Amino acid sequence: MSTPTETELDALGGAIAGEIDGAGSIGALEEIRVSALGKKGRVSLLMKSLGQMSPEERQTMGPALNGLKVRITDLIQGKKDALEAAALDARLETERVDITLPVAPELEGRIHPVSQVTDELVAIFADMGFSLAEGPDIEDDFHNFTALNFPPAHPAREMHDTFFLKQDDAELQAQQKGGRAAANEPPKVLRTHTSPVQIRHMMANKPPIRIIVPGRTYRCDSDQTHTPMFNQIEGLVIDKATHMGHLKGCLIEFIKAFFEIDEINYRFRPHFFPFTEPSAEMDIGYTVDENGEQKIGHGGQFMEILGCGMVHPNVLKNCGLDPDEYQGFAFGLGVDRLAMLKYGIRDLRPFWEADQRWLKHYGFRPLDMPNLAGGLSR
Ligand code: DAH
């Protein structure tokens, strides 16, 4: 190979720079790199020929060739960066998302009215400083009845249409081995109310106590407004100076927040529950409009909405609390019935039929989480 002149080198550099400039893709650029700087590339071959040059030639050609190599390397890198940036821009352009468009396909899932109402109740009571407690669906006689001051064979036990569980064989055997007569153990029950969680919580925690307990409950009952499984929410407050005024204030505020109204017509009617003394039922006023829809709030007609009362001293004692030191109030209400009232659902049975058409009509959008600041039911 004859030694190139400076003009020839310049021409070669210019040609390669032109090729680089015109490269339309990373692949094409790579081909140019190989053809210039690869093992048999045009610049590499010239560099190899340095060995056959005279020392004088080498003195000028060495730096010139090196300069050419550096220049081409830089040009290739610059072009590569530009091509990559352009590819990224193009990709981002195709992946552009307009977040102001409605979701497509339309969001399908719906939140069940019972879940919605439970979330609303939790939001309201959490705002008042209550925390959440839970208990098992399968209860024993002690927690469901005895500790709640239902005397043995008291007719109140029958009020509840209890589902009793069969004694499990394994349990029977274990009891026999332990020398205990199985027949003396009362059968387990499906809890008939959420009140047993009061007992569990008071036995495991020191006052002050402020809890709500949403959960499934069971009674052998079935018609348009009763199903064998239904949902209740229980409230319990225990402290040293809690009185009936606190109970009333708490429940009136709760009803106003839940029905999202400023004024409410209400009354507390004396009632009987074994676990509270005094006991009451709270009624709220409503009117019926020309379409037969109930409107909660004002009006001279009253409907029962919940049971409540001051926790019975026997219940406190059963949980190891001294009734001379502690007192409190409790309340319990049906979550399904609240959902029916607030959202105008007339029949309870479809709640548990898992019919998508029903859920689409009465259900709630998953992204609309109820909270007091943003609105419970919007
Ligand atoms: N456990 C009652 C029921 O299921 C409801 C109830 C009434 C709960 C009064 C309470 C209460 O805590 O104080 O009918």
Side-chain angles (χ1 to χ4, degrees):
M1 187 184 283
S2 65
T3 306
T5 64
E6 219 165 291
T7 339
E8 280 170 340
L9 262 196
D10 278 351
L12 178 61
I16 295 175
E19 288 170 27
I20 292 171
D21 195 39
S25 67
I26 298 279
L29 187 64
E30 176 61 11
E31 275 173 30
I32 297 164
R33 187 192 67 77
V34 172
S35 81
L37 305 177
K39 253 191 194 157
K40 299 212 169 100
R42 288 161 283 176
V43 180
S44 310
L45 289 180
L46 285 175
M47 294 196 82
K48 270 188 201 148
S49 71
L50 279 174
Q52 283 107 55
M53 291 180 195
S54 66
E56 299 78 50
E57 277 176 333
R58 207 179 300 141
Q59 215 158 43
T60 51
M61 281 319 279
L65 277 173
N66 245 331
L68 179 62
K69 186 180 167 191
V70 169
R71 181 174 158 223
I72 290 170
T73 306
D74 288 351
L75 282 174
I76 287 176
Q77 189 57 47
K79 184 69 180 179
K80 193 166 172 233
D81 290 347
L83 283 173
E84 279 173 355
L88 182 63
D89 282 349
R91 209 181 105 204
L92 287 177
E93 192 56 41
T94 63
E95 290 177 0
R96 178 195 290 269
V97 176
D98 182 350
I99 57 166
T100 63
L101 286 175
V103 177
E106 195 193 340
L107 267 185
E108 274 296 320
R110 288 289 184 278
I111 300 294
H112 195 285
V114 168
S115 303
Q116 165 77 17
V117 165
T118 304
D119 288 346
E120 293 181 20
L121 296 171
V122 169
I124 294 169
F125 284 107
D127 193 60
M128 293 191 203
F130 285 71
S131 51
L132 212 64
E134 282 183 323
D137 288 23
I138 296 177
E139 262 302 1
D140 51 38
D141 183 86
F142 173 77
H143 291 94
N144 198 78
F145 292 123
T146 307
L148 284 163
N149 199 36
F150 286 77
H154 189 279
R157 288 187 190 232
E158 266 126 63
M159 268 171 24
H160 281 198
D161 300 312
T162 312
F163 283 113
F164 292 97
L165 269 69
K166 271 200 196 141
Q167 293 271 42
D168 177 66
D169 282 348
E171 198 183 315
L172 266 176
Q173 276 172 12
Q175 284 175 3
Q176 279 158 359
K177 270 192 200 145
R180 229 186 317 151
N184 292 344
E185 270 305 282
K188 292 253 168 56
V189 302
L190 289 179
R191 66 177 176 192
T192 57
H193 49 179
T194 40
S195 305
V197 186
Q198 288 189 25
I199 303 300
R200 289 185 177 276
H201 198 82
M202 280 189 276
M203 293 182 93
N205 297 275
K206 279 214 153 65
I209 289 171
R210 236 182 285 166
I211 52 161
I212 47 159
V213 186
R216 292 197 175 100
T217 47
Y218 307 83
R219 288 183 206 179
C220 189
D221 204 354
S222 190
D223 60 32
Q224 193 176 331
T225 52
H226 295 86
T227 49
M229 191 280 290
F230 56 106
N231 291 273
Q232 284 193 339
I233 191 159
E234 188 84 10
L236 176 71
V237 172
I238 303 285
D239 209 335
K240 290 192 172 165
T242 311
H243 55 68
M244 197 91 186
H246 296 130
L247 159 76
K248 288 178 72 178
C250 170
L251 293 176
I252 293 163
E253 273 317 303
F254 150 62
I255 293 292
K256 287 201 273 191
F258 179 72
F259 287 106
E260 300 174 59
I261 47 182
D262 295 328
E263 292 297 330
I264 177 84
N265 206 11
Y266 66 88
R267 67 183 182 198
F268 285 86
R269 208 170 10 82
H271 195 73
F272 171 77
F273 297 107
F275 35 88
T276 41
E277 180 58 37
S279 304
E281 280 188 334
M282 183 184 187
D283 295 344
I284 54 174
Y286 69 97
T287 48
V288 180
D289 69 13
E290 58 280 8
N291 303 321
E293 294 289 336
Q294 289 172 334
K295 214 167 162 315
I296 305 284
H298 297 289
Q301 308 198 58
F302 282 98
M303 70 169 83
E304 179 245 313
I305 192 86
L306 56 82
C308 58
M310 300 306 294
V311 178
H312 196 292
N314 287 350
V315 174
L316 294 170
K317 274 189 236 164
N318 291 339
C319 298
L321 295 175
D322 177 359
D324 291 329
E325 189 178 3
Y326 292 111
Q327 50 199 309
F329 65 84
F331 54 89
L333 62 157
V335 175
D336 317 312
R337 184 145 168 267
L338 278 187
M340 293 171 80
L341 278 175
K342 182 164 177 179
Y343 295 112
I345 311 172
R346 296 194 182 196
D347 193 342
L348 179 60
R349 288 163 298 189
F351 272 58
W352 323 121
E353 281 169 4
D355 183 335
Q356 293 244 332
R357 291 163 302 177
W358 183 89
L359 194 57
K360 205 161 182 168
H361 182 79
Y362 286 111
F364 293 80
R365 293 177 179 278
L367 298 178
D368 297 341
M369 290 292 289
N371 68 72
L372 288 177
L376 289 175
S377 58
R378 240 168 308 143

